[in-house]
Amino acid sequence: LRLLSFPTVLEKALNKLDGLKNKFGGLFSNFANVLNQQQSAGGGANANQNDMNKLGEKLEEMKKSIEEIKKTFENDDLTTFICVCIPEFLSLYETERLVQKLAKFGIDTHNIVINQVLFPEKNCDGHECSRCKARVKMQSKYIEQFNDLYPDFHLTKIPLMSQEVRHVKKLKKFAYLLLNPYEEEYNKEDFDENEFFKDFKDNDDEDEDDLRRFLYFADL
């Protein structure tokens, strides 16, 4: 949020500097003329005036750059912000705070990714974990609040993965879930979770390769 507000803060600071320059520019020039005793009165005044003009030009250049950045942030076609959260109270609170701040800065946001959503396993024959049941119930409450708070937003639910999202296959599957709602696949009668997440199975060879690369770069 501080980074996103930086153009606005810098723009205000430059406007204040510009105001001070216009208000006290002559006074600063007089002080510089008094201190610059080695130069002639006319030459010193001209040099100091040139310095003030250069400073003014630099301020104007910076203001134009800041205005361009601000316009880019506020242009819906060029900039949008995707909020990523988990279905818990603190994350819901921080997401609401973020959405309000982005609206204040004029930055577009209409997408929220709800990560680590626990979907109950199908065909578990009554052997479902009691903690899993409690977790699903808790998450469902906050997902419902997300739906109530952001009816006009595009909400994407990403299921809790059994493995870390690493390597190309897993990243491609995760990217697929961002564009294709998992809930639609999950609600199908013939849905097979093991087949759907076959790319998320353990691969000891890949883990060993990662460890070797890590140790190699750690020794450099």
Side-chain angles (χ1 to χ4, degrees), residues 119 158-163 170 173-174 177 182 186 191-202:
F119 287 85
I158 302 296
L160 178 66
M161 307 297 182
S162 59
Q163 303 293 330
K170 294 180 182 180
K173 175 60 72 173
F174 194 86
L177 291 171
Y182 173 75
Y186 176 81
F191 176 73
D192 187 340
E193 185 174 353
N194 292 327
E195 178 64 23
F196 189 83
F197 287 110
K198 61 183 180 180
D199 294 331
F200 273 79
K201 293 181 180 179
D202 287 327

Side-chain angles (χ1 to χ4, degrees), residues 32-50:
N33 288 335
V34 172
L35 294 175
N36 193 2
Q37 297 178 357
Q38 296 180 352
Q39 298 181 5
S40 63
N46 290 333
N48 291 320
Q49 186 61 41
N50 289 335

Side-chain angles (χ1 to χ4, degrees), residues 43-134:
N46 290 333
N48 291 320
Q49 186 61 41
N50 289 335
D51 291 340
M52 293 300 295
N53 290 336
K54 289 180 180 179
L55 177 60
E57 290 174 1
K58 287 291 183 182
L59 287 176
E60 287 300 321
E61 289 177 6
M62 290 182 66
K63 286 173 68 175
K64 289 180 181 179
S65 299
I66 294 302
E67 288 174 1
E68 286 297 323
I69 294 173
K70 191 176 179 182
K71 287 179 181 178
T72 301
F73 278 176
E74 295 175 352
N75 189 334
D76 296 355
D77 296 329
L78 298 176
T79 304
T80 189
F81 200 96
I82 299 176
C83 306
V84 181
C85 59
I86 58 176
E88 294 183 4
F89 170 77
L90 184 59
S91 186
L92 173 64
Y93 170 80
E94 290 295 335
T95 301
E96 174 61 16
R97 177 171 168 266
L98 174 62
V99 170
Q100 290 181 5
K101 284 290 184 180
L102 291 173
K104 182 179 179 181
F105 297 144
I107 299 175
D108 174 69
T109 175
H110 56 268
N111 292 283
I112 297 178
V113 176
I114 307 176
N115 200 11
Q116 299 181 12
V117 178
L118 182 59
F119 287 85
E121 292 185 23
K122 291 188 174 183
N123 304 320
C124 59
D125 298 327
H127 298 292
E128 191 176 354
C129 170
S130 59
R131 292 181 181 178
C132 294
K133 287 182 179 179

Side-chain angles (χ1 to χ4, degrees), residues 173-189:
K173 175 60 72 173
F174 194 86
Y176 174 84
L177 291 171
L178 288 172
L179 300 175
N180 302 273
Y182 173 75
E183 201 166 14
E184 293 182 4
E185 297 288 336
Y186 176 81
N187 290 331
K188 293 180 180 179
E189 294 183 0

